Amino acid sequence: MNFNLTKTFLAVAISLSLVGCADDGDTGPAGTNGINGVNGADGANGADGVNGTDGANGADGANGVDGANGLASLIRHTEIYAGNDNCFAGGTAIESGLDLDSDAMLADSEVTETSYICSATQLSHKSFNRVASFPVCSQIDLNCNDDTETSAEIVSASEDGLTLVYTDSPNQQLGFIDITDPANPVAAGTLALAGEPTSVSVVGDYALVGINSSADYINTSGSLAVINLDTQALVATIDLGGQPDSVAVSPDGMYAVVAIENERDEDLGEGVPPQAPAGYLSIVELSGEPDTWTASSVDFNGITDLYADDPEPEFVDINSDNIAVVTLQENNHIILVDLADGSIMNDFSAGSVDLTLVDGTEEKALISQTESLDGVLREPDGVTWLGNDYFATADEGDLDGGSRGFTVFNKQGEVVYAAGSSMEHMVASVGHYPDGRSGNKGNEPENAEYGVFGDERYLFVNSERSSLVFVYDVADFTKPMFKQILPAGVAPEGALAIPSRNLLVVASEADERDAKIRSVVNIYNYSANAQQYPTIKSAYRVNGSPIPFGALSGLSADPMNSNTLYSVEDSFYLSNRIFTIDTSKSPALLTNETHIMDSNDVFSAVTTVALADTSVDEDDVTRVDVFDEADLASMLNADKTVNIDPEGVSKASDGGFWVVSEGSGTKGDTSRPINSLNFIFKTDAQGVIEEVISLPDAINDNQLRFGFEGVAEYAGNVYVAFQRVWAGDTNVRLGVYNTAAKTWSFLFYPLDAAESQNGGWVGLSDITSLDNGKFLVLERDNQGGMDAVVKRIYEIDTTGLVDGDTVTKTLVRDIMPDLKMANGLPAEKVEGMAVMANGDVYIVNDNDGVDDNSGEMQLINLGDIVN
């Protein structure tokens, strides 16, 4: 600061000395510049000043001008009547929006959101019942006396509903069935195709068939074959460029859509995508003659989250707005396509579900619906529109998914209904649960179909592994209501509603004659007749799951109650049980399960002797040296339940039960060695074992694996029916065990000769006392379906007979006509029979625990057929 002042004054002084006063003399010479002053030293910084005191707050400003009033929000309630697309039984539409024109009324153009409150669904008194099962093998031979593997996978119908068309993949052909009389379908021929048919849909006079002609999984090819229904001739072929799966035709007949799956090789890299080539959607406009039709494609690459470059479209359906819904099963994705321009309207993940009270462990044991499965991907297969705004998916699963149910979505991709564990429970409650699939996808819903039958709207869901069709009332699409279950052949795949004829048609694809399975087309009629299936179902436990059951073998009546039956499950399940069945209900109700228990170590003592003494004398009545340690140990569980093979049951005179267990293995057969003898178990009323009885050694030495099948008590004796003739015998044995003397004697029974076109054998299945020395005996062959012949009930009289005598039998009833009354293929294993206190006779078939079996179980009251 000082330096600056000095420099300034010096400059001023110099300036003043140069400016003199003017005079008249000459101007003097200019003065020289002065010497610059020396810079002064920097001054020290001054101290910071103190902050001043804050000033007082100013006065509040004036209020602003009020804003303009907003638009009013309005709500409109409208009653809707029966037949409405959204509420078929009627209800209320709730619409909302802004009053744009400020007239205090909600105009249609102002509605921005609509919801519905539908009237409560009232299930119709009408029902669906099977009226026929058309065996596909009858196209080859009228009586199906042929071993050729056939199949009916996808089914469609002519527009008049009189002719069915189905795909037969193994034989690369299309099949035709005349259903002018639905109860008596007639084979109408087949048409050979240039590859494997994957799907079929009818439009006008033509059947459109997807044909897979791929050389392998990489070199894919396929076409859409156009078949004239009247002439059954090929009229055009449209190249699709890849391997087709599902084919659908729009309701207005303007479009055909084909899902080009280009499926992956499941043996390559554990079958996990991606695997080229990618699939896509093919659209065919159906204007003009078939030979002018061409296909265009919709690319699905880059859309999904899981395998974006391997979409694999699976199934397709089209609504009345010409919007196609497509499932991408392995990608757990759904895509909506506008067919007018091929644009993708929406796509979304099918999502996942959390399941409770399901059986998620695959073991041969009791069906245990006690587990939870979290985050299970739906991975939908079949799909069907429900009107124009909702659709339902059958959530079969494939890679790691399968939610064991079905789902209803809206077009926005929102879940409006999910079946949860309900299908799993209903399958178990009617004896159709496939325990061998527990660790996979359970009952495995495969496909879905929708139909409007008069005043009712129904959704049908095919369960592939339980071989059932579920029927739901969908008057309110967002709240499906279960109506009934229908039996089908093994592995139902395609489904078709034909409301104009009150028919539902379902194609079951599995076929193996040796396993007594034949592919069938099931035909159901919708009428006022009462539901015919199921014939038996179980009550639910306290935890909310049903009593699971299956593989019923023997039957017994309660001598004091004409409405009570008892049954047992065979060795398909472990921890064996005795069931109580109330026949006063329709269907009959399985009300209680009683485990057979070795609580007092009675059976354990028998096995302990066997394990301790492997040098048993030939005359020792125990005669258990044929077992090995593993066999015996496997028959006992830690909780005291047992693993035997209950084939017959009889209510004992003291209130307990007699249960016979069939032995396993044949003496001297190294391929089927003996690992269990035949036993009679005496239990108390609670199923606790009180006594274990085996056959004499001399009889055991001739054991055939077809042993004890039925049991009955009469006058201090227990009568046991052997199934087949054992070594050294001419006729099949009836064992008679005297409970007081603990001795055996034997009668012999002359079996009918085998009469089936497929050969086989004939044996006994059950025996029941008529309380006068007479018995009813159930005799059957080992054939099912079109091959079944011998299913008969005979009466025998044991009065006056002694050890070694042969009984005389009298035919009481041929039950083949009774088995055919269900309008399906007759079951092979009719294994249970009982005479009620009022004289009525019941029979039941063993469904093999739904293992290579449709699971169908017919509990039939034959009435009083003896008196």
Side-chain angles (χ1 to χ4, degrees):
M1 183 72 70
N2 290 336
F3 165 77
N4 291 334
L5 287 174
T6 302
K7 186 174 182 180
T8 301
F9 284 123
L10 178 59
V12 171
I14 293 172
S15 176
L16 290 175
S17 67
L18 294 177
V19 183
C21 296
D23 58 20
D24 293 336
D26 294 335
T27 301
T32 60
N33 292 331
I35 299 172
N36 292 331
V38 178
N39 292 332
D42 291 342
N45 292 329
D48 292 340
V50 178
N51 292 331
T53 304
D54 291 341
N57 292 330
D60 292 340
N63 292 332
V65 178
D66 291 341
N69 291 329
L71 295 173
S73 178
L74 301 178
I75 296 177
R76 181 172 69 188
H77 293 73
T78 305
E79 182 179 3
I80 54 179
Y81 299 96
N84 180 270
D85 283 345
N86 293 286
C87 296
F88 209 59
T92 302
I94 303 174
E95 299 165 307
S96 61
L98 297 177
D99 188 8
L100 300 177
D101 57 7
S102 301
D103 66 351
M105 297 180 63
L106 185 65
D108 291 345
S109 60
E110 296 171 332
V111 174
T112 57
E113 187 173 342
T114 304
S115 60
Y116 299 90
I117 299 177
C118 298
S119 299
T121 299
Q122 301 294 322
L123 293 180
S124 170
H125 67 282
K126 293 183 177 180
S127 300
F128 291 89
N129 286 301
R130 185 176 55 196
V131 294
S133 287
F134 175 84
V136 178
C137 50
S138 65
Q139 295 273 23
I140 302 171
D141 179 86
L142 185 61
N143 296 313
C144 278
N145 191 17
D146 188 277
D147 294 340
T148 303
E149 179 188 356
T150 63
S151 181
E153 184 175 5
I154 301 298
V155 63
S156 190
S158 58
E159 291 192 343
D160 60 10
L162 298 177
T163 302
L164 298 180
V165 189
Y166 64 87
T167 57
D168 184 346
S169 175
N171 295 289
Q172 297 192 356
Q173 64 186 15
L174 199 65
F176 302 86
I177 309 171
D178 180 351
I179 58 167
T180 302
D181 179 0
N184 294 285
V186 178
T190 59
L191 174 67
L193 301 168
E196 173 198 6
T198 58
S199 185
V200 61
S201 190
V202 168
V203 57
D205 297 328
Y206 305 108
L208 308 184
V209 188
I211 306 292
N212 177 22
S213 55
S214 302
D216 50 46
Y217 291 102
I218 297 174
N219 301 290
T220 59
S221 63
S223 60
L224 189 67
V226 184
I227 311 297
N228 185 292
L229 288 174
D230 292 330
T231 64
Q232 296 184 8
L234 177 68
V235 298
T237 300
I238 302 165
D239 183 30
L240 297 174
Q243 174 254 316
D245 195 347
S246 172
V247 178
V249 171
S250 61
D252 61 9
M254 291 180 61
Y255 301 97
V257 176
V258 186
I260 306 299
E261 182 178 12
N262 287 341
E263 62 184 349
R264 70 194 189 284
D265 182 352
E266 296 189 12
D267 294 326
L268 178 63
E270 298 183 354
V272 178
Q275 291 182 23
Y280 50 90
L281 193 70
S282 188
I283 302 175
V284 180
E285 291 192 27
L286 305 179
S287 59
E289 294 301 314
D291 58 3
T292 66
W293 297 347
T294 58
S296 60
S297 63
V298 180
D299 185 4
F300 285 166
N301 279 323
I303 295 177
T304 67
D305 296 328
L306 295 179
Y307 311 106
D309 53 353
D310 189 10
E312 279 195 63
E314 188 80 23
F315 209 92
V316 60
D317 194 35
I318 309 170
N319 69 9
S320 297
D321 290 335
N322 284 331
I323 298 172
V325 56
V326 188
T327 58
L328 282 61
Q329 186 171 13
E330 291 76 14
N331 279 274
N332 194 42
H333 212 81
I334 296 169
I335 297 179
L336 301 182
V337 177
D338 186 343
L339 299 183
D341 58 10
S343 63
I344 294 176
M345 298 177 56
N346 196 9
D347 75 275
F348 43 87
S349 169
S352 64
V353 297
D354 296 333
L355 299 174
T356 58
L357 293 178
V358 295
D359 190 347
T361 304
E362 194 166 311
E363 80 287 320
K364 187 178 180 183
L366 282 178
I367 299 166
S368 179
Q369 295 184 320
T370 58
E371 299 175 66
S372 296
L373 299 174
D374 296 331
V376 180
L377 300 182
R378 290 187 167 89
E379 293 184 351
D381 188 351
V383 62
T384 184
W385 280 102
L386 305 176
N388 287 326
D389 298 318
Y390 301 92
F391 56 86
T393 60
D395 302 331
E396 179 194 22
D398 188 3
L399 298 173
D400 298 309
S403 64
R404 309 178 183 220
F406 71 95
T407 307
V408 178
F409 294 88
N410 61 22
K411 290 190 298 187
Q412 291 72 47
E414 299 167 327
V415 173
V416 299
Y417 176 86
S421 305
S422 61
M423 286 183 67
E424 288 282 273
H425 290 172
M426 286 187 281
V427 162
S429 76
V430 296
H432 278 250
Y433 184 76
D435 190 47
R437 301 295 297 175
S438 292
N440 296 290
K441 298 177 280 288
N443 78 88
E444 209 165 308
E446 175 78 12
N447 207 348
E449 171 69 343
Y450 169 68
V452 180
F453 289 76
D455 295 334
E456 310 297 329
R457 297 194 303 202
Y458 292 115
L459 169 65
F460 308 94
V461 181
N462 290 352
S463 172
E464 180 181 8
R465 298 293 177 171
S466 69
S467 298
L468 290 170
V469 181
F470 285 75
V471 185
Y472 294 86
D473 183 301
V474 286
D476 182 346
F477 289 137
T478 67
K479 297 180 178 63
M481 180 177 288
F482 172 73
K483 179 176 175 61
Q484 66 180 117
I485 281 177
L486 302 172
V490 178
E493 175 88 14
L496 177 71
I498 312 178
S500 62
R501 300 197 64 200
N502 283 322
L503 298 177
L504 169 70
V505 178
V506 172
S508 295
E509 63 179 334
D511 187 283
E512 185 180 349
R513 190 183 191 189
D514 287 346
K516 288 79 179 176
I517 297 172
R518 302 306 327 228
S519 174
V520 294
V521 175
N522 310 272
I523 304 173
Y524 310 89
N525 175 245
Y526 184 58
S527 70
N529 293 333
Q531 295 180 19
Q532 297 171 0
Y533 200 82
T535 59
I536 180 173
K537 67 177 183 180
S538 67
Y540 276 62
R541 294 166 167 165
V542 175
N543 71 349
S545 68
I547 299 173
F549 72 102
L552 297 185
S553 47
L555 279 183
S556 177
D558 189 302
M560 306 302 294
N561 189 331
S562 294
N563 293 322
T564 301
L565 278 173
Y566 303 99
S567 187
V568 286
E569 58 189 354
D570 65 24
S571 62
F572 186 85
Y573 301 107
L574 304 181
S575 300
N576 312 110
R577 296 168 295 170
I578 301 169
F579 299 113
T580 304
I581 302 169
D582 181 358
T583 62
S584 69
K585 303 290 193 294
S586 182
L589 185 64
L590 192 157
T591 59
N592 192 51
E593 54 184 333
T594 302
H595 284 274
I596 301 174
M597 303 290 296
D598 193 31
S599 302
N600 300 321
D601 294 328
V602 175
F603 189 37
S604 176
V606 174
T607 61
T608 299
V609 170
L611 294 175
D613 188 356
T614 57
S615 58
V616 181
D617 186 88
E618 288 294 319
D619 296 326
D620 194 305
V621 295
T622 308
R623 187 56 185 164
V624 290
D625 57 311
V626 293
F627 296 116
D628 63 34
E629 185 171 347
D631 294 330
L632 292 172
S634 68
M635 300 177 76
L636 296 167
N637 299 316
D639 62 357
K640 300 292 187 176
T641 59
V642 298
N643 308 322
I644 58 176
D645 187 10
E647 292 288 350
V649 61
S650 179
K651 186 69 171 174
S653 56
D654 66 358
F657 295 96
W658 298 101
V659 177
V660 290
S661 176
E662 185 177 18
S664 175
T666 297
K667 183 74 171 182
D669 186 346
T670 57
S671 65
R672 295 180 181 273
I674 293 177
N675 52 39
S676 173
L677 295 179
N678 293 268
F679 290 110
I680 301 174
F681 291 88
K682 172 62 176 62
T683 79
D684 63 15
Q686 286 71 47
V688 176
I689 297 171
E690 298 176 325
E691 184 179 6
V692 180
I693 304 160
S694 62
L695 287 165
D697 294 341
I699 307 302
N700 281 330
D701 281 341
N702 296 320
Q703 176 170 318
L704 186 71
R705 66 187 180 94
F706 302 97
F708 287 174
E709 279 291 314
V711 61
E713 180 188 354
Y714 170 67
N717 291 320
V718 177
Y719 292 76
V720 180
F722 290 47
Q723 186 178 73
R724 299 273 302 279
V725 178
W726 280 20
D729 296 334
T730 302
N731 292 310
V732 71
R733 287 178 181 263
L734 299 176
V736 183
Y737 180 76
N738 186 289
T739 58
K742 299 187 181 303
T743 57
W744 283 94
S745 61
F746 297 92
L747 302 174
F748 290 92
Y749 178 95
L751 291 167
D752 287 351
E755 302 174 29
S756 172
Q757 62 186 9
N758 197 38
W761 51 259
V762 176
L764 297 183
S765 279
D766 211 347
I767 184 171
T768 187
S769 173
L770 296 176
D771 291 331
N772 53 4
K774 296 180 180 179
F775 296 82
L776 291 184
V777 179
L778 179 58
E779 193 173 339
R780 70 167 179 90
D781 58 19
N782 68 330
Q783 302 297 315
M786 305 284 280
D787 292 326
V789 179
V790 179
K791 315 290 183 189
R792 296 164 185 162
I793 296 175
Y794 288 94
E795 181 181 304
I796 61 172
D797 190 346
T798 63
T799 305
L801 298 183
V802 297
D803 186 29
D805 283 351
T806 300
V807 302
T808 299
K809 65 182 187 180
T810 303
L811 179 65
V812 174
R813 192 178 186 98
D814 180 350
I815 61 175
M816 278 296 295
D818 300 292
L819 298 176
K820 292 178 179 179
M821 288 292 290
N823 297 317
L825 299 186
E828 173 207 355
K829 294 184 177 181
V830 186
E831 294 204 344
M833 176 184 63
V835 180
M836 308 295 278
N838 63 0
D840 286 354
V841 176
Y842 275 84
I843 57 172
V844 72
N845 67 287
D846 175 1
N847 71 356
D848 283 334
V850 203
D851 188 13
D852 289 331
N853 193 297
S854 71
E856 185 168 338
M857 199 178 307
Q858 292 290 338
L859 177 66
I860 303 173
N861 184 356
L862 302 175
D864 188 348
I865 62 175
V866 178
N867 299 316

